[in-house]
Amino acid sequence: MSDCIISVEHVFKSVTDSTGTLDILRDIDVRLNRRETVAIVGASGSGKSTLLSIIAGLDIPSRGTVVLAGQDLFAIDEDARAALRAQQVGFVFQSFQLLGNLTALENVMLPLELANRRDARKASSEMLERVGLSQRLGHYPKVLSGGEQQRVALARAFVVQPAVLLADEPTGSLDFATGESVMALMFALNRELGTTLVLVTHDKAIAERCQRCITIEAGQVVPTNVVDAQQ
């Protein structure tokens, strides 16, 4: 089995409106290995969140290929992409993306129920206990703190034991201390479950905790030696 879990091959992304064409990504070519932790960094508007969305198959490139777990994402239809995401990918967002009408436990159970897992309640309860929320199973998101909501989001992402976890500014809505706690938990769960972690962040300290850093500038990957020279 190849160590490569994600292959981004010559990906371009452009959008056109009445003012003309904007190139968001230009010839992105990167490989991500199993169990690797990778930070994608760059200024606002550099294209890093767009790249993350394309890796997930949530956005479609103008040109290029993304292979996830051996499957060409854009050679299959959206239903097949959604099924592949459900099997292989977990997500953590800055805004938590919890469903307000579901309890913490029900939010974590949701992806397992969609996969027809008969142990959804047990597995979800155990994962919430792992993230320190065993006393919050029946609470709705509106009565949870930001840190607690992000812990629920982590539990929901990891409960399916994904091959890949994609995180977009996971501490962006949290204060420093809470963000530190959440990131320590994310990296601990990642090690335990052997997941490939790909995170977009503005935080240099978080990026430095990853094994590798990919810098995006004006829609292109900055070569490593250029990054080193700038530091």
Side-chain angles (χ1 to χ4, degrees), residues 96-114 120 124 128 136-142 144 148-149 151-157 159-160:
F96 317 134
Q97 300 284 5
L98 301 179
L99 296 178
N101 61 331
L102 299 183
T103 65
L105 178 60
E106 290 166 343
N107 266 283
V108 178
M109 287 174 61
L110 186 59
L112 297 181
E113 291 182 321
L114 291 173
S124 299
L128 282 166
R136 298 295 225 177
L137 303 188
H139 290 70
Y140 290 91
K142 65 181 179 181
L144 300 176
E148 287 172 333
Q149 290 186 62
R151 286 170 180 265
V152 174
L154 281 179
R156 181 183 58 189
V159 76
V160 297

PDB file of all heavy atoms in Angstrom, residues 96-114 120 124 128 136-142 144 148-149 151-157 159-160:
ATOM      1  N   PHE A  96     -17.546  25.642  14.271  1.00  0.00           N
ATOM      2  CA  PHE A  96     -18.040  24.432  14.933  1.00  0.00           C
ATOM      3  C   PHE A  96     -19.001  23.602  14.073  1.00  0.00           C
ATOM      4  O   PHE A  96     -18.902  22.380  14.022  1.00  0.00           O
ATOM      5  CB  PHE A  96     -18.697  24.730  16.289  1.00  0.00           C
ATOM      6  CG  PHE A  96     -17.958  25.728  17.144  1.00  0.00           C
ATOM      7  CD1 PHE A  96     -18.632  26.752  17.778  1.00  0.00           C
ATOM      8  CD2 PHE A  96     -16.577  25.646  17.291  1.00  0.00           C
ATOM      9  CE1 PHE A  96     -17.947  27.677  18.553  1.00  0.00           C
ATOM     10  CE2 PHE A  96     -15.887  26.563  18.068  1.00  0.00           C
ATOM     11  CZ  PHE A  96     -16.580  27.591  18.697  1.00  0.00           C
ATOM     12  N   GLN A  97     -19.985  24.277  13.437  1.00  0.00           N
ATOM     13  CA  GLN A  97     -20.931  23.588  12.541  1.00  0.00           C
ATOM     14  C   GLN A  97     -21.715  22.488  13.246  1.00  0.00           C
ATOM     15  O   GLN A  97     -21.959  21.421  12.671  1.00  0.00           O
ATOM     16  CB  GLN A  97     -20.199  23.016  11.310  1.00  0.00           C
ATOM     17  CG  GLN A  97     -19.494  24.050  10.455  1.00  0.00           C
ATOM     18  CD  GLN A  97     -20.417  24.859   9.578  1.00  0.00           C
ATOM     19  OE1 GLN A  97     -21.631  24.712   9.669  1.00  0.00           O
ATOM     20  NE2 GLN A  97     -19.865  25.722   8.754  1.00  0.00           N
ATOM     21  N   LEU A  98     -22.099  22.742  14.496  1.00  0.00           N
ATOM     22  CA  LEU A  98     -22.978  21.807  15.195  1.00  0.00           C
ATOM     23  C   LEU A  98     -24.428  22.122  14.851  1.00  0.00           C
ATOM     24  O   LEU A  98     -24.775  23.268  14.558  1.00  0.00           O
ATOM     25  CB  LEU A  98     -22.769  21.907  16.707  1.00  0.00           C
ATOM     26  CG  LEU A  98     -21.348  21.624  17.214  1.00  0.00           C
ATOM     27  CD1 LEU A  98     -21.290  21.795  18.724  1.00  0.00           C
ATOM     28  CD2 LEU A  98     -20.883  20.229  16.823  1.00  0.00           C
ATOM     29  N   LEU A  99     -25.271  21.108  14.904  1.00  0.00           N
ATOM     30  CA  LEU A  99     -26.703  21.308  14.667  1.00  0.00           C
ATOM     31  C   LEU A  99     -27.363  21.694  15.981  1.00  0.00           C
ATOM     32  O   LEU A  99     -27.340  20.945  16.954  1.00  0.00           O
ATOM     33  CB  LEU A  99     -27.328  20.038  14.100  1.00  0.00           C
ATOM     34  CG  LEU A  99     -26.795  19.624  12.718  1.00  0.00           C
ATOM     35  CD1 LEU A  99     -27.433  18.332  12.258  1.00  0.00           C
ATOM     36  CD2 LEU A  99     -27.037  20.729  11.695  1.00  0.00           C
ATOM     37  N   GLY A 100     -27.947  22.896  16.002  1.00  0.00           N
ATOM     38  CA  GLY A 100     -28.469  23.453  17.242  1.00  0.00           C
ATOM     39  C   GLY A 100     -29.634  22.696  17.849  1.00  0.00           C
ATOM     40  O   GLY A 100     -29.883  22.790  19.058  1.00  0.00           O
ATOM     41  N   ASN A 101     -30.361  21.940  17.027  1.00  0.00           N
ATOM     42  CA  ASN A 101     -31.521  21.207  17.535  1.00  0.00           C
ATOM     43  C   ASN A 101     -31.160  19.802  18.010  1.00  0.00           C
ATOM     44  O   ASN A 101     -32.044  19.027  18.385  1.00  0.00           O
ATOM     45  CB  ASN A 101     -32.611  21.120  16.454  1.00  0.00           C
ATOM     46  CG  ASN A 101     -32.147  20.383  15.211  1.00  0.00           C
ATOM     47  OD1 ASN A 101     -30.963  20.386  14.891  1.00  0.00           O
ATOM     48  ND2 ASN A 101     -33.079  19.742  14.520  1.00  0.00           N
ATOM     49  N   LEU A 102     -29.869  19.476  17.986  1.00  0.00           N
ATOM     50  CA  LEU A 102     -29.409  18.170  18.468  1.00  0.00           C
ATOM     51  C   LEU A 102     -28.518  18.357  19.690  1.00  0.00           C
ATOM     52  O   LEU A 102     -27.772  19.332  19.786  1.00  0.00           O
ATOM     53  CB  LEU A 102     -28.613  17.443  17.376  1.00  0.00           C
ATOM     54  CG  LEU A 102     -29.329  17.125  16.065  1.00  0.00           C
ATOM     55  CD1 LEU A 102     -28.399  16.350  15.138  1.00  0.00           C
ATOM     56  CD2 LEU A 102     -30.606  16.330  16.316  1.00  0.00           C
ATOM     57  N   THR A 103     -28.591  17.411  20.623  1.00  0.00           N
ATOM     58  CA  THR A 103     -27.713  17.443  21.784  1.00  0.00           C
ATOM     59  C   THR A 103     -26.277  17.128  21.365  1.00  0.00           C
ATOM     60  O   THR A 103     -26.021  16.718  20.227  1.00  0.00           O
ATOM     61  CB  THR A 103     -28.155  16.413  22.833  1.00  0.00           C
ATOM     62  OG1 THR A 103     -27.988  15.094  22.270  1.00  0.00           O
ATOM     63  CG2 THR A 103     -29.595  16.623  23.257  1.00  0.00           C
ATOM     64  N   ALA A 104     -25.354  17.305  22.302  1.00  0.00           N
ATOM     65  CA  ALA A 104     -23.956  16.957  22.013  1.00  0.00           C
ATOM     66  C   ALA A 104     -23.853  15.510  21.550  1.00  0.00           C
ATOM     67  O   ALA A 104     -23.187  15.202  20.549  1.00  0.00           O
ATOM     68  CB  ALA A 104     -23.099  17.188  23.256  1.00  0.00           C
ATOM     69  N   LEU A 105     -24.524  14.615  22.268  1.00  0.00           N
ATOM     70  CA  LEU A 105     -24.476  13.202  21.909  1.00  0.00           C
ATOM     71  C   LEU A 105     -25.072  12.969  20.528  1.00  0.00           C
ATOM     72  O   LEU A 105     -24.499  12.235  19.701  1.00  0.00           O
ATOM     73  CB  LEU A 105     -25.218  12.367  22.951  1.00  0.00           C
ATOM     74  CG  LEU A 105     -25.287  10.852  22.675  1.00  0.00           C
ATOM     75  CD1 LEU A 105     -23.889  10.260  22.594  1.00  0.00           C
ATOM     76  CD2 LEU A 105     -26.115  10.148  23.760  1.00  0.00           C
ATOM     77  N   GLU A 106     -26.199  13.589  20.240  1.00  0.00           N
ATOM     78  CA  GLU A 106     -26.854  13.391  18.943  1.00  0.00           C
ATOM     79  C   GLU A 106     -26.009  13.955  17.799  1.00  0.00           C
ATOM     80  O   GLU A 106     -25.982  13.379  16.706  1.00  0.00           O
ATOM     81  CB  GLU A 106     -28.241  14.043  18.964  1.00  0.00           C
ATOM     82  CG  GLU A 106     -29.229  13.300  19.859  1.00  0.00           C
ATOM     83  CD  GLU A 106     -30.484  14.106  20.151  1.00  0.00           C
ATOM     84  OE1 GLU A 106     -30.474  15.345  19.952  1.00  0.00           O
ATOM     85  OE2 GLU A 106     -31.474  13.501  20.608  1.00  0.00           O
ATOM     86  N   ASN A 107     -25.316  15.075  18.032  1.00  0.00           N
ATOM     87  CA  ASN A 107     -24.425  15.629  17.011  1.00  0.00           C
ATOM     88  C   ASN A 107     -23.316  14.643  16.669  1.00  0.00           C
ATOM     89  O   ASN A 107     -22.977  14.468  15.494  1.00  0.00           O
ATOM     90  CB  ASN A 107     -23.821  16.951  17.488  1.00  0.00           C
ATOM     91  CG  ASN A 107     -24.603  18.168  17.038  1.00  0.00           C
ATOM     92  OD1 ASN A 107     -24.517  18.587  15.886  1.00  0.00           O
ATOM     93  ND2 ASN A 107     -25.382  18.733  17.954  1.00  0.00           N
ATOM     94  N   VAL A 108     -22.746  14.009  17.681  1.00  0.00           N
ATOM     95  CA  VAL A 108     -21.652  13.067  17.450  1.00  0.00           C
ATOM     96  C   VAL A 108     -22.170  11.777  16.820  1.00  0.00           C
ATOM     97  O   VAL A 108     -21.495  11.161  15.982  1.00  0.00           O
ATOM     98  CB  VAL A 108     -20.898  12.778  18.759  1.00  0.00           C
ATOM     99  CG1 VAL A 108     -19.776  11.764  18.541  1.00  0.00           C
ATOM    100  CG2 VAL A 108     -20.306  14.076  19.326  1.00  0.00           C
ATOM    101  N   MET A 109     -23.383  11.376  17.198  1.00  0.00           N
ATOM    102  CA  MET A 109     -23.964  10.156  16.647  1.00  0.00           C
ATOM    103  C   MET A 109     -24.319  10.272  15.167  1.00  0.00           C
ATOM    104  O   MET A 109     -24.346   9.265  14.452  1.00  0.00           O
ATOM    105  CB  MET A 109     -25.237   9.789  17.424  1.00  0.00           C
ATOM    106  CG  MET A 109     -25.007   9.251  18.818  1.00  0.00           C
ATOM    107  SD  MET A 109     -26.573   9.016  19.732  1.00  0.00           S
ATOM    108  CE  MET A 109     -27.418   7.812  18.675  1.00  0.00           C
ATOM    109  N   LEU A 110     -24.577  11.495  14.705  1.00  0.00           N
ATOM    110  CA  LEU A 110     -25.144  11.693  13.373  1.00  0.00           C
ATOM    111  C   LEU A 110     -24.365  10.991  12.256  1.00  0.00           C
ATOM    112  O   LEU A 110     -24.962  10.241  11.465  1.00  0.00           O
ATOM    113  CB  LEU A 110     -25.286  13.197  13.087  1.00  0.00           C
ATOM    114  CG  LEU A 110     -25.986  13.560  11.785  1.00  0.00           C
ATOM    115  CD1 LEU A 110     -27.401  12.980  11.745  1.00  0.00           C
ATOM    116  CD2 LEU A 110     -26.030  15.078  11.614  1.00  0.00           C
ATOM    117  N   PRO A 111     -23.038  11.190  12.139  1.00  0.00           N
ATOM    118  CA  PRO A 111     -22.339  10.517  11.027  1.00  0.00           C
ATOM    119  C   PRO A 111     -22.364   8.999  11.143  1.00  0.00           C
ATOM    120  O   PRO A 111     -22.358   8.298  10.121  1.00  0.00           O
ATOM    121  CB  PRO A 111     -20.901  11.055  11.128  1.00  0.00           C
ATOM    122  CG  PRO A 111     -20.758  11.542  12.525  1.00  0.00           C
ATOM    123  CD  PRO A 111     -22.117  12.040  12.916  1.00  0.00           C
ATOM    124  N   LEU A 112     -22.407   8.479  12.369  1.00  0.00           N
ATOM    125  CA  LEU A 112     -22.479   7.025  12.550  1.00  0.00           C
ATOM    126  C   LEU A 112     -23.855   6.499  12.169  1.00  0.00           C
ATOM    127  O   LEU A 112     -23.974   5.423  11.574  1.00  0.00           O
ATOM    128  CB  LEU A 112     -22.154   6.659  14.003  1.00  0.00           C
ATOM    129  CG  LEU A 112     -20.742   7.003  14.483  1.00  0.00           C
ATOM    130  CD1 LEU A 112     -20.561   6.549  15.933  1.00  0.00           C
ATOM    131  CD2 LEU A 112     -19.695   6.358  13.593  1.00  0.00           C
ATOM    132  N   GLU A 113     -24.896   7.268  12.505  1.00  0.00           N
ATOM    133  CA  GLU A 113     -26.246   6.852  12.130  1.00  0.00           C
ATOM    134  C   GLU A 113     -26.419   6.880  10.614  1.00  0.00           C
ATOM    135  O   GLU A 113     -27.077   6.007  10.039  1.00  0.00           O
ATOM    136  CB  GLU A 113     -27.276   7.752  12.815  1.00  0.00           C
ATOM    137  CG  GLU A 113     -27.346   7.539  14.329  1.00  0.00           C
ATOM    138  CD  GLU A 113     -28.396   8.390  14.981  1.00  0.00           C
ATOM    139  OE1 GLU A 113     -28.552   9.555  14.573  1.00  0.00           O
ATOM    140  OE2 GLU A 113     -29.061   7.901  15.922  1.00  0.00           O
ATOM    141  N   LEU A 114     -25.824   7.879   9.974  1.00  0.00           N
ATOM    142  CA  LEU A 114     -25.903   7.947   8.511  1.00  0.00           C
ATOM    143  C   LEU A 114     -25.194   6.756   7.872  1.00  0.00           C
ATOM    144  O   LEU A 114     -25.539   6.339   6.764  1.00  0.00           O
ATOM    145  CB  LEU A 114     -25.297   9.253   8.008  1.00  0.00           C
ATOM    146  CG  LEU A 114     -26.089  10.525   8.354  1.00  0.00           C
ATOM    147  CD1 LEU A 114     -25.303  11.766   7.948  1.00  0.00           C
ATOM    148  CD2 LEU A 114     -27.451  10.510   7.676  1.00  0.00           C
ATOM    149  N   ALA A 120     -23.799   3.303  17.350  1.00  0.00           N
ATOM    150  CA  ALA A 120     -23.624   4.757  17.272  1.00  0.00           C
ATOM    151  C   ALA A 120     -23.662   5.419  18.647  1.00  0.00           C
ATOM    152  O   ALA A 120     -22.799   6.248  18.965  1.00  0.00           O
ATOM    153  CB  ALA A 120     -24.684   5.368  16.356  1.00  0.00           C
ATOM    154  N   SER A 124     -20.319   7.025  20.373  1.00  0.00           N
ATOM    155  CA  SER A 124     -20.359   8.479  20.535  1.00  0.00           C
ATOM    156  C   SER A 124     -20.199   8.871  21.995  1.00  0.00           C
ATOM    157  O   SER A 124     -19.506   9.845  22.315  1.00  0.00           O
ATOM    158  CB  SER A 124     -21.673   9.032  19.978  1.00  0.00           C
ATOM    159  OG  SER A 124     -21.777   8.755  18.594  1.00  0.00           O
ATOM    160  N   LEU A 128     -17.159  11.213  23.436  1.00  0.00           N
ATOM    161  CA  LEU A 128     -17.396  12.431  24.213  1.00  0.00           C
ATOM    162  C   LEU A 128     -16.727  12.345  25.579  1.00  0.00           C
ATOM    163  O   LEU A 128     -16.227  13.348  26.101  1.00  0.00           O
ATOM    164  CB  LEU A 128     -18.895  12.686  24.350  1.00  0.00           C
ATOM    165  CG  LEU A 128     -19.550  13.299  23.106  1.00  0.00           C
ATOM    166  CD1 LEU A 128     -21.060  13.209  23.180  1.00  0.00           C
ATOM    167  CD2 LEU A 128     -19.123  14.758  22.936  1.00  0.00           C
ATOM    168  N   ARG A 136     -21.856  16.213  29.626  1.00  0.00           N
ATOM    169  CA  ARG A 136     -22.553  17.172  28.747  1.00  0.00           C
ATOM    170  C   ARG A 136     -23.316  16.486  27.608  1.00  0.00           C
ATOM    171  O   ARG A 136     -23.730  17.140  26.656  1.00  0.00           O
ATOM    172  CB  ARG A 136     -21.537  18.145  28.135  1.00  0.00           C
ATOM    173  CG  ARG A 136     -20.795  19.000  29.142  1.00  0.00           C
ATOM    174  CD  ARG A 136     -21.714  19.958  29.864  1.00  0.00           C
ATOM    175  NE  ARG A 136     -21.174  21.293  29.950  1.00  0.00           N
ATOM    176  CZ  ARG A 136     -21.826  22.310  30.486  1.00  0.00           C
ATOM    177  NH1 ARG A 136     -23.060  22.129  30.936  1.00  0.00           N
ATOM    178  NH2 ARG A 136     -21.282  23.496  30.552  1.00  0.00           N
ATOM    179  N   LEU A 137     -23.519  15.191  27.711  1.00  0.00           N
ATOM    180  CA  LEU A 137     -24.113  14.442  26.592  1.00  0.00           C
ATOM    181  C   LEU A 137     -25.465  14.989  26.166  1.00  0.00           C
ATOM    182  O   LEU A 137     -25.778  15.042  24.973  1.00  0.00           O
ATOM    183  CB  LEU A 137     -24.261  12.961  26.958  1.00  0.00           C
ATOM    184  CG  LEU A 137     -23.008  12.182  27.389  1.00  0.00           C
ATOM    185  CD1 LEU A 137     -23.344  10.698  27.514  1.00  0.00           C
ATOM    186  CD2 LEU A 137     -21.861  12.387  26.413  1.00  0.00           C
ATOM    187  N   GLY A 138     -26.286  15.388  27.134  1.00  0.00           N
ATOM    188  CA  GLY A 138     -27.644  15.828  26.831  1.00  0.00           C
ATOM    189  C   GLY A 138     -27.796  17.318  26.626  1.00  0.00           C
ATOM    190  O   GLY A 138     -28.912  17.818  26.473  1.00  0.00           O
ATOM    191  N   HIS A 139     -26.678  18.053  26.603  1.00  0.00           N
ATOM    192  CA  HIS A 139     -26.741  19.503  26.453  1.00  0.00           C
ATOM    193  C   HIS A 139     -26.755  19.905  24.976  1.00  0.00           C
ATOM    194  O   HIS A 139     -26.108  19.278  24.141  1.00  0.00           O
ATOM    195  CB  HIS A 139     -25.539  20.163  27.139  1.00  0.00           C
ATOM    196  CG  HIS A 139     -25.583  20.093  28.630  1.00  0.00           C
ATOM    197  ND1 HIS A 139     -25.417  18.918  29.333  1.00  0.00           N
ATOM    198  CD2 HIS A 139     -25.785  21.064  29.559  1.00  0.00           C
ATOM    199  CE1 HIS A 139     -25.499  19.166  30.635  1.00  0.00           C
ATOM    200  NE2 HIS A 139     -25.726  20.459  30.795  1.00  0.00           N
ATOM    201  N   TYR A 140     -27.497  20.985  24.701  1.00  0.00           N
ATOM    202  CA  TYR A 140     -27.553  21.525  23.342  1.00  0.00           C
ATOM    203  C   TYR A 140     -26.419  22.536  23.138  1.00  0.00           C
ATOM    204  O   TYR A 140     -25.918  23.123  24.107  1.00  0.00           O
ATOM    205  CB  TYR A 140     -28.914  22.186  23.088  1.00  0.00           C
ATOM    206  CG  TYR A 140     -30.044  21.187  23.005  1.00  0.00           C
ATOM    207  CD1 TYR A 140     -30.762  20.820  24.142  1.00  0.00           C
ATOM    208  CD2 TYR A 140     -30.375  20.587  21.784  1.00  0.00           C
ATOM    209  CE1 TYR A 140     -31.785  19.883  24.073  1.00  0.00           C
ATOM    210  CE2 TYR A 140     -31.399  19.648  21.701  1.00  0.00           C
ATOM    211  CZ  TYR A 140     -32.097  19.300  22.850  1.00  0.00           C
ATOM    212  OH  TYR A 140     -33.090  18.364  22.770  1.00  0.00           O
ATOM    213  N   PRO A 141     -26.001  22.750  21.886  1.00  0.00           N
ATOM    214  CA  PRO A 141     -24.867  23.644  21.631  1.00  0.00           C
ATOM    215  C   PRO A 141     -25.004  25.027  22.265  1.00  0.00           C
ATOM    216  O   PRO A 141     -24.011  25.605  22.721  1.00  0.00           O
ATOM    217  CB  PRO A 141     -24.845  23.737  20.101  1.00  0.00           C
ATOM    218  CG  PRO A 141     -25.362  22.407  19.658  1.00  0.00           C
ATOM    219  CD  PRO A 141     -26.438  22.062  20.654  1.00  0.00           C
ATOM    220  N   LYS A 142     -26.216  25.577  22.334  1.00  0.00           N
ATOM    221  CA  LYS A 142     -26.384  26.957  22.825  1.00  0.00           C
ATOM    222  C   LYS A 142     -25.996  27.117  24.294  1.00  0.00           C
ATOM    223  O   LYS A 142     -25.724  28.236  24.739  1.00  0.00           O
ATOM    224  CB  LYS A 142     -27.827  27.419  22.615  1.00  0.00           C
ATOM    225  CG  LYS A 142     -28.865  26.666  23.429  1.00  0.00           C
ATOM    226  CD  LYS A 142     -30.265  27.177  23.142  1.00  0.00           C
ATOM    227  CE  LYS A 142     -31.315  26.410  23.949  1.00  0.00           C
ATOM    228  NZ  LYS A 142     -32.690  26.894  23.638  1.00  0.00           N
ATOM    229  N   LEU A 144     -23.430  25.341  25.619  1.00  0.00           N
ATOM    230  CA  LEU A 144     -22.030  24.937  25.722  1.00  0.00           C
ATOM    231  C   LEU A 144     -21.127  26.123  25.406  1.00  0.00           C
ATOM    232  O   LEU A 144     -21.464  26.966  24.572  1.00  0.00           O
ATOM    233  CB  LEU A 144     -21.724  23.793  24.747  1.00  0.00           C
ATOM    234  CG  LEU A 144     -22.515  22.493  24.931  1.00  0.00           C
ATOM    235  CD1 LEU A 144     -22.151  21.515  23.812  1.00  0.00           C
ATOM    236  CD2 LEU A 144     -22.247  21.870  26.290  1.00  0.00           C
ATOM    237  N   GLU A 148     -16.189  23.945  24.541  1.00  0.00           N
ATOM    238  CA  GLU A 148     -16.966  22.700  24.621  1.00  0.00           C
ATOM    239  C   GLU A 148     -17.567  22.354  23.264  1.00  0.00           C
ATOM    240  O   GLU A 148     -17.580  21.183  22.859  1.00  0.00           O
ATOM    241  CB  GLU A 148     -18.059  22.841  25.676  1.00  0.00           C
ATOM    242  CG  GLU A 148     -17.525  22.827  27.099  1.00  0.00           C
ATOM    243  CD  GLU A 148     -18.581  23.163  28.125  1.00  0.00           C
ATOM    244  OE1 GLU A 148     -19.553  23.891  27.797  1.00  0.00           O
ATOM    245  OE2 GLU A 148     -18.444  22.709  29.286  1.00  0.00           O
ATOM    246  N   GLN A 149     -18.043  23.367  22.538  1.00  0.00           N
ATOM    247  CA  GLN A 149     -18.596  23.103  21.209  1.00  0.00           C
ATOM    248  C   GLN A 149     -17.520  22.551  20.267  1.00  0.00           C
ATOM    249  O   GLN A 149     -17.788  21.625  19.490  1.00  0.00           O
ATOM    250  CB  GLN A 149     -19.196  24.385  20.623  1.00  0.00           C
ATOM    251  CG  GLN A 149     -20.463  24.834  21.317  1.00  0.00           C
ATOM    252  CD  GLN A 149     -21.102  26.011  20.611  1.00  0.00           C
ATOM    253  OE1 GLN A 149     -21.509  25.913  19.445  1.00  0.00           O
ATOM    254  NE2 GLN A 149     -21.185  27.144  21.281  1.00  0.00           N
ATOM    255  N   ARG A 151     -14.929  20.847  21.173  1.00  0.00           N
ATOM    256  CA  ARG A 151     -14.663  19.472  21.609  1.00  0.00           C
ATOM    257  C   ARG A 151     -15.723  18.507  21.073  1.00  0.00           C
ATOM    258  O   ARG A 151     -15.408  17.380  20.691  1.00  0.00           O
ATOM    259  CB  ARG A 151     -14.591  19.400  23.134  1.00  0.00           C
ATOM    260  CG  ARG A 151     -13.299  19.982  23.698  1.00  0.00           C
ATOM    261  CD  ARG A 151     -13.347  20.123  25.220  1.00  0.00           C
ATOM    262  NE  ARG A 151     -12.108  20.670  25.710  1.00  0.00           N
ATOM    263  CZ  ARG A 151     -11.080  19.951  26.158  1.00  0.00           C
ATOM    264  NH1 ARG A 151     -11.166  18.630  26.194  1.00  0.00           N
ATOM    265  NH2 ARG A 151      -9.970  20.514  26.572  1.00  0.00           N
ATOM    266  N   VAL A 152     -16.968  18.951  21.038  1.00  0.00           N
ATOM    267  CA  VAL A 152     -18.021  18.133  20.425  1.00  0.00           C
ATOM    268  C   VAL A 152     -17.705  17.927  18.941  1.00  0.00           C
ATOM    269  O   VAL A 152     -17.836  16.816  18.407  1.00  0.00           O
ATOM    270  CB  VAL A 152     -19.408  18.782  20.590  1.00  0.00           C
ATOM    271  CG1 VAL A 152     -20.473  17.986  19.818  1.00  0.00           C
ATOM    272  CG2 VAL A 152     -19.801  18.855  22.066  1.00  0.00           C
ATOM    273  N   ALA A 153     -17.276  19.007  18.280  1.00  0.00           N
ATOM    274  CA  ALA A 153     -16.929  18.905  16.859  1.00  0.00           C
ATOM    275  C   ALA A 153     -15.762  17.940  16.641  1.00  0.00           C
ATOM    276  O   ALA A 153     -15.760  17.165  15.680  1.00  0.00           O
ATOM    277  CB  ALA A 153     -16.584  20.291  16.306  1.00  0.00           C
ATOM    278  N   LEU A 154     -14.777  17.969  17.549  1.00  0.00           N
ATOM    279  CA  LEU A 154     -13.667  17.018  17.464  1.00  0.00           C
ATOM    280  C   LEU A 154     -14.164  15.587  17.631  1.00  0.00           C
ATOM    281  O   LEU A 154     -13.751  14.683  16.900  1.00  0.00           O
ATOM    282  CB  LEU A 154     -12.626  17.323  18.531  1.00  0.00           C
ATOM    283  CG  LEU A 154     -11.646  18.468  18.289  1.00  0.00           C
ATOM    284  CD1 LEU A 154     -10.728  18.618  19.486  1.00  0.00           C
ATOM    285  CD2 LEU A 154     -10.826  18.226  17.037  1.00  0.00           C
ATOM    286  N   ALA A 155     -15.028  15.392  18.611  1.00  0.00           N
ATOM    287  CA  ALA A 155     -15.569  14.051  18.847  1.00  0.00           C
ATOM    288  C   ALA A 155     -16.327  13.551  17.622  1.00  0.00           C
ATOM    289  O   ALA A 155     -16.188  12.389  17.216  1.00  0.00           O
ATOM    290  CB  ALA A 155     -16.484  14.066  20.072  1.00  0.00           C
ATOM    291  N   ARG A 156     -17.132  14.433  17.022  1.00  0.00           N
ATOM    292  CA  ARG A 156     -17.889  14.052  15.818  1.00  0.00           C
ATOM    293  C   ARG A 156     -16.955  13.701  14.668  1.00  0.00           C
ATOM    294  O   ARG A 156     -17.208  12.772  13.903  1.00  0.00           O
ATOM    295  CB  ARG A 156     -18.817  15.202  15.417  1.00  0.00           C
ATOM    296  CG  ARG A 156     -19.666  14.911  14.187  1.00  0.00           C
ATOM    297  CD  ARG A 156     -20.512  16.115  13.804  1.00  0.00           C
ATOM    298  NE  ARG A 156     -19.690  17.296  13.537  1.00  0.00           N
ATOM    299  CZ  ARG A 156     -20.178  18.515  13.349  1.00  0.00           C
ATOM    300  NH1 ARG A 156     -21.484  18.712  13.421  1.00  0.00           N
ATOM    301  NH2 ARG A 156     -19.374  19.526  13.111  1.00  0.00           N
ATOM    302  N   ALA A 157     -15.849  14.463  14.536  1.00  0.00           N
ATOM    303  CA  ALA A 157     -14.911  14.211  13.443  1.00  0.00           C
ATOM    304  C   ALA A 157     -14.170  12.896  13.629  1.00  0.00           C
ATOM    305  O   ALA A 157     -13.971  12.140  12.678  1.00  0.00           O
ATOM    306  CB  ALA A 157     -13.911  15.368  13.343  1.00  0.00           C
ATOM    307  N   VAL A 159     -14.982  10.272  15.654  1.00  0.00           N
ATOM    308  CA  VAL A 159     -15.744   9.074  16.018  1.00  0.00           C
ATOM    309  C   VAL A 159     -15.849   8.097  14.849  1.00  0.00           C
ATOM    310  O   VAL A 159     -15.968   6.876  15.044  1.00  0.00           O
ATOM    311  CB  VAL A 159     -17.146   9.451  16.549  1.00  0.00           C
ATOM    312  CG1 VAL A 159     -18.080   9.861  15.414  1.00  0.00           C
ATOM    313  CG2 VAL A 159     -17.745   8.303  17.371  1.00  0.00           C
ATOM    314  N   VAL A 160     -15.754   8.607  13.620  1.00  0.00           N
ATOM    315  CA  VAL A 160     -15.829   7.720  12.445  1.00  0.00           C
ATOM    316  C   VAL A 160     -14.468   7.117  12.112  1.00  0.00           C
ATOM    317  O   VAL A 160     -14.341   6.356  11.157  1.00  0.00           O
ATOM    318  CB  VAL A 160     -16.382   8.477  11.219  1.00  0.00           C
ATOM    319  CG1 VAL A 160     -17.805   8.953  11.464  1.00  0.00           C
ATOM    320  CG2 VAL A 160     -15.481   9.650  10.843  1.00  0.00           C
TER     321      VAL A 160
END
